[in-house]
Amino acid sequence: MENSQTQQVSRRAKILDVLGNWIGVIPFFIFIIVFLILPSMNLFIGAFRDLNGNFTFDNIIGLKDPAILKAYSVSLQVSVITSLVGSVFGFFVAYAITIGKAPKWMRNILMTFSGLAANFGGVPLAFAFIATIGRTGLITAILKNICFSNAAGVQSCPLDIYDNGFTLYGVLGLTLAYTYFEFPLMVLIITPALEGLKRDWREASDNLGASSWQYWRYVAFPVLWPSILGAGLLLFGSAFGAYATAQALTGGSIYLVTILIGQQIRGDVLGNPNLGYALALGMVVIMSITITGYTILQRRTARWLKS
Amino acid sequence: MKTPRFNFWGLFWGTLALLYFFVPMYGTLDFSLRMQKGIISLRAYQIVLADPNFVESFLYSATMGIITVIISILIFLPTTYWIYLKLPKLRPVVEIITILPFIIPVIVYVFGLIRTFGRPPFRLTLTATGTDFLMIGGYVVLSMPYMFRAIDVGMRSIDVRTLTEASQSLGGNWFQTLVNVILPNLRIALLSGALITFATVIGELILADFLFRPALGPYMTSIGTTKAFEPAALTIMSFALTWVCLGLIQLVSRGDTSQQLTGR
């Protein structure tokens, strides 16, 4: 009898102890539940509900709608192109900073600006590109004024980019603008990995008679590929989720998933509010796969970088 | 074996990157100075600065930025401290939670906020105060990855447990320890977290735009569709502001860029 009472008391003390341990993180979890979990759950549940609140898979099946498929394909296309261009360009810039022996002042500027430009985006980025290669932009004007007269005295200005089918307000323009923050992001991620390449490896490979190409192909690249691929995934994700730059640059005329979700919020353009939830869910699924892939690859890199 | 002083390809790619950085900058600057035909002038800047809508939206965004920084620190400083002190096993969980805003695109997040709190029983979007409350919550979430990482990095570099025990043996309570001992040791971490949070809020478009609040982002979008030279001037000014914030971070954290993960 007495024994069980002390047991009860000690159990209560234990519960109080555990509670005491957790009390400091309760405000954080309340905040997260209200502002992150609740809205996310709402979208998630909405994606599996019909207008009367019954469970259904119709919204997910509804994603087969040609308009939605097109939005996804344009979004994927833009993100894949920009992340490829950004990764390749960023890799070479990181190469210039580390192994490429660029002058010290250039390395310093490149590193500083990469830190700044990787955080630069949104509406100002769109404005900057409009002012530079928009229809009346600086570069456009310079190129336009390069004219030649032929023997008959007829003037031709072959470098008028807008006459040649170029437009900033589409996929190509978006790629140019996104690259502005994508390649610096690549530089930031990949520079430590390039710095981690040991000089001994190069020397050992040279001593064994390997060419430069063989060194990159059989030594450096196999070590680097997880970080390159991981960085590429992060770049893909940052392009895929972007909205503001695309909206400001194209005025919403480009058919991206983010733009479509924006239109769905303003007014039910899809004709079914719950289809919007499924659209959003699809984005989150793609982003989750991307970021999980990035995290796994990043861990692999961290392992050899430390050693 | 000859070793050239400079590598051609290194120089080539470095130069190309510098051009990519500076040509759009220069193009924007040049454009912003050409409002008056034939001469270089600061007319576009004068017009923007004299626009009451600009002043109003800037002040609004700056106020929101400061409130967000304060609330963010109030949430994340005690939480991180507590985790380091009592629940180290929880750290990976909290870290994953704070990275979630990178996985959920902002536009999707806003969609969720509006559909959750814009309806009964909350109906927060009916009043300006309610909407502002919602926006601040949203801003704290959006800047959470930066703020948590900043505090986490700072906390890792000091011995929280020993400092706390020392403070307690001198008779300090939990609150006194946090304010008088931990806080001064985290000044740099907090400053960089605060600056990047502030920069995030100032440059943010989507939340304010879809919640119809008069912030700087929506103001810029509206000017972008109606004016030509003012947007360029605004861009240069927002460059300057964001870059002062981020430059300060690089200065105080001495070039450590680990807190900067992604843009837009």
Side-chain angles (χ1 to χ4, degrees):
Chain A
M1 190 69 186
E2 213 170 279
N3 202 6
S4 87
Q5 242 178 5
T6 40
Q7 249 181 4
Q8 244 180 356
V9 170
S10 79
R11 192 176 299 155
R12 194 173 296 160
K14 215 176 218 169
I15 291 172
L16 275 178
D17 206 42
V18 171
L19 255 181
N21 256 341
W22 282 79
I23 200 155
V25 289
I26 288 173
F28 169 75
F29 280 102
I30 290 177
F31 175 80
I32 290 300
I33 288 169
V34 171
F35 281 103
L36 197 61
I37 310 285
L38 208 60
S40 312
M41 284 314 285
N42 228 332
L43 286 187
F44 185 79
I45 294 169
F48 295 98
R49 268 194 181 163
D50 64 17
L51 291 174
N52 301 318
N54 302 314
F55 178 84
T56 177
F57 276 114
D58 283 356
N59 302 318
I60 308 294
I61 297 166
L63 291 179
K64 274 196 314 198
D65 181 272
I68 293 178
L69 284 183
K70 195 193 162 209
Y72 269 108
S73 91
V74 175
S75 266
L76 288 174
Q77 202 185 323
V78 168
S79 316
V80 168
I81 295 173
T82 49
S83 58
L84 279 179
V85 171
S87 307
V88 173
F89 186 31
F91 178 84
F92 284 121
V93 177
Y95 165 83
I97 291 174
T98 53
I99 309 163
K101 296 195 198 93
K104 195 161 191 299
W105 63 266
M106 191 186 253
R107 267 184 287 165
N108 287 340
I109 299 181
L110 285 175
M111 271 322 270
T112 311
F113 269 81
S114 295
L116 295 173
N119 284 288
F120 182 56
V123 189
L125 177 62
F127 288 170
F129 273 83
I130 291 171
T132 309
I133 47 169
R135 207 165 264 286
T136 55
L138 179 76
I139 301 285
T140 316
I142 291 173
L143 289 175
K144 206 174 179 171
N145 289 328
I146 301 175
C147 292
F148 307 97
S149 329
N150 64 8
V154 181
Q155 272 222 331
S156 69
C157 308
L159 293 172
D160 186 336
I161 49 177
Y162 280 83
D163 271 0
N164 289 319
F166 172 83
T167 172
L168 181 64
Y169 315 102
V171 173
L172 187 58
L174 212 53
T175 308
L176 277 175
Y178 282 5
T179 303
Y180 197 86
F181 64 77
E182 295 270 36
F183 92 83
L185 191 56
M186 182 72 180
V187 172
L188 290 184
I189 303 170
I190 213 75
T191 303
L194 281 175
E195 275 170 351
L197 287 177
K198 308 250 183 326
R199 194 186 284 259
D200 315 4
W201 299 347
R202 180 73 204 236
E203 282 165 6
S205 134
D206 282 348
N207 284 339
L208 291 168
S211 67
S212 188
W213 188 81
Q214 281 172 321
Y215 163 73
W216 280 101
R217 168 70 184 80
Y218 295 106
V219 181
F221 188 70
V223 167
L224 287 176
W225 80 263
S227 12
I228 296 177
L229 196 62
L233 282 174
L234 196 67
L235 263 55
F236 171 88
S238 74
F240 191 66
Y243 168 84
T245 308
Q247 174 70 34
L249 200 59
T250 69
S253 65
I254 190 163
Y255 211 68
L256 300 175
V257 185
T258 45
I259 301 271
L260 191 59
I261 292 178
Q263 290 168 351
Q264 177 73 5
I265 299 175
R266 295 215 192 275
D268 186 13
V269 290
L270 297 170
N272 172 3
N274 292 40
L275 201 50
Y277 298 143
L279 197 63
L281 183 66
M283 278 205 87
V284 175
V285 168
I286 294 177
M287 289 297 278
S288 309
I289 298 171
T290 311
I291 301 294
T292 310
Y294 163 73
T295 316
I296 294 170
L297 290 165
Q298 198 63 18
R299 290 233 170 99
R300 272 188 74 140
T301 316
R303 228 181 318 162
W304 70 262
L305 262 185
K306 256 179 210 159
S307 59
Chain B
M1 206 178 120
K2 65 174 173 52
T3 42
R5 224 166 86 75
F6 291 123
N7 176 323
F8 168 76
W9 287 110
L11 217 54
F12 173 79
W13 290 108
T15 312
L16 210 60
L18 286 185
L19 284 175
Y20 212 105
F21 280 137
F22 288 112
V23 169
M25 297 283 102
Y26 178 74
T28 314
L29 183 67
D30 182 84
F31 201 80
S32 72
L33 296 173
R34 289 185 188 276
M35 188 162 192
Q36 280 164 309
K37 255 204 156 61
I39 54 164
I40 301 290
S41 72
L42 292 171
R43 189 90 191 94
Y45 293 85
Q46 287 165 346
I47 291 178
V48 169
L49 289 174
D51 183 355
N53 285 333
F54 167 75
V55 179
E56 205 178 297
S57 62
F58 180 79
L59 287 179
Y60 178 81
S61 280
T63 315
M64 293 304 258
I66 291 166
I67 297 175
T68 306
V69 166
I70 293 170
I71 293 184
S72 198
I73 289 178
L74 283 179
I75 293 176
F76 289 103
L77 181 64
T79 307
T80 321
Y81 173 57
W82 195 269
I83 288 170
Y84 269 79
L85 199 61
K86 303 211 167 181
L87 298 163
K89 277 188 196 146
L90 202 64
R91 201 190 143 267
V93 179
V94 173
E95 192 178 14
I96 288 177
I97 294 174
T98 55
I99 287 175
L100 284 177
F102 283 153
I103 297 179
I104 306 169
V106 187
I107 187 89
V108 170
Y109 179 62
V110 169
F111 192 26
L113 273 187
I114 291 175
R115 289 296 138 93
T116 307
F117 295 106
R119 291 182 172 173
F122 302 105
R123 290 173 173 273
L124 282 179
T125 48
L126 284 186
T127 61
T129 325
T131 315
D132 285 346
F133 177 75
L134 202 56
M135 285 233 309
I136 290 169
Y139 285 146
V140 173
V141 168
L142 293 189
S143 54
M144 178 165 82
Y146 309 110
M147 188 54 104
F148 175 74
R149 280 170 78 97
I151 296 180
D152 184 53
V153 168
M155 206 69 96
R156 203 180 305 158
S157 67
I158 59 175
D159 190 345
V160 177
R161 210 173 273 264
T162 312
L163 283 176
T164 306
E165 277 164 14
S167 154
Q168 278 170 347
S169 69
L170 292 170
N173 63 24
W174 192 84
F175 181 75
Q176 284 172 324
T177 307
L178 189 58
V179 172
N180 295 331
V181 180
I182 304 293
L183 199 69
N185 278 299
L186 286 178
R187 262 180 314 204
I188 289 176
L190 287 174
L191 186 66
S192 71
L195 284 168
I196 199 156
T197 301
F198 188 75
T200 307
V201 175
I202 287 277
E204 208 281 332
L205 163 75
I206 307 173
L207 267 176
D209 201 21
F210 283 95
L211 290 170
F212 302 104
R213 297 302 291 148
L216 203 55
Y219 171 78
M220 287 183 79
T221 326
S222 76
I223 252 206
T225 55
T226 52
K227 304 275 170 57
F229 297 95
E230 289 88 336
L234 261 173
T235 303
I236 293 295
M237 289 194 285
S238 94
F239 272 150
L241 188 75
T242 330
W243 289 22
V244 163
C245 279
L246 297 172
L248 276 176
I249 296 174
Q250 291 219 332
L251 205 67
V252 294
S253 60
R254 292 196 201 88
D256 173 25
T257 48
S258 62
Q259 290 142 21
Q260 293 157 10
L261 246 184
T262 181
R264 110 217 67 75

